[in-house]
């Protein structure tokens, strides 16, 4: 039986985590995503603030928020992009994902214009109940060859305005994300 007394929620920037700490997070993510969490997914989760819960068996839950740029309606937004949110299989449906997201949302509110993430169908409910909104407009990315449309992301991209900020409107055009290797979103 897992010792839930050790369910302390911790935060740290990537540079503050040891190699063994990062390895423990990466192993949990690999397992939680059924082996479908590759090197590029891992790279996307680095360089920002990590929120994670450890229990007697290791990392039980994790999420990170990194900075990205998004163009919309002639403006460049500083976006807190949520990455690598997962809960170990034996700890799901115990509120750990919500605890991790609460910390990440606090970071978004304090440091960014808005939050964004790409959610699986299984994960979307967590974000919906927390007030995130499904983006109903076009999703694009700045690519080496120019701006490209990402229709496969148009039904899975969620946004959340930072505290007190207005939500960008879909009528004003697409969200155009910065380019990165691997899956853009």
């Amino acid at each position: 039986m897992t010792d839930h007394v050790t369910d302390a929620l911790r935060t740290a920037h990537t540079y503050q985590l040891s190699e063994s700490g990062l390895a423990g997070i990466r192993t949990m993510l690999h397992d939680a995503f059924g082996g479908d969490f590759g090197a590029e997914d891992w790279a996307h989760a680095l360089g920002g603030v990590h929120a994670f819960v450890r229990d007697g068996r290791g990392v039980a839950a994790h999420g990170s928020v990194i900075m990205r740029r998004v163009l919309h309606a002639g403006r460049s937004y500083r976006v807190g992009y949520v990455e690598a949110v997962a809960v170990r299989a034996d700890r799901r449906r115990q509120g750990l994902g919500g605890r991790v997201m609460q910390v990440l949302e606090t970071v978004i509110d304090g440091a960014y214009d808005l939050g964004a993430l790409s959610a699986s169908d299984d994960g979307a409910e967590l974000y919906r109940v927390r007030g995130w909104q499904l983006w109903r407009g076009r999703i694009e990315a700045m690519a080496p060859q120019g701006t490209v449309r990402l229709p496969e992301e148009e039904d899975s991209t969620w946004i959340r305005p930072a505290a007190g900020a207005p939500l960008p409107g879909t009528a004003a055009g697409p969200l155009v994300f910065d380019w990165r290797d691997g899956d853009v979103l």
Side-chain angles (χ1 to χ4, degrees), residues 108-126:
I108 290 166
D109 289 348
Y112 299 102
D113 297 317
L114 59 110
L117 57 84
S118 181
S120 67
D121 290 341
D122 291 338
E125 184 64 10
L126 170 66

Side-chain angles (χ1 to χ4, degrees), residues 86-133:
V87 177
R88 202 175 63 220
D90 66 314
R91 295 301 310 273
R92 292 182 183 148
R93 308 288 183 246
Q94 297 176 23
L96 297 182
R99 289 179 62 198
V100 164
M101 285 304 299
Q102 183 175 9
V103 169
L104 300 180
E105 291 162 356
T106 299
V107 172
I108 290 166
D109 289 348
Y112 299 102
D113 297 317
L114 59 110
L117 57 84
S118 181
S120 67
D121 290 341
D122 291 338
E125 184 64 10
L126 170 66
Y127 310 115
R128 188 193 65 71
V129 300
R130 299 191 62 76
W132 289 70
Q133 296 178 24

Side-chain angles (χ1 to χ4, degrees), residues 18-43:
S18 67
E19 281 187 42
S20 65
L22 287 168
I25 292 169
R26 187 172 184 183
T27 297
M28 188 281 291
L29 291 169
H30 180 271
D31 294 346
F33 285 106
D36 189 21
F37 191 83
E40 288 171 338
D41 298 315
W42 177 240

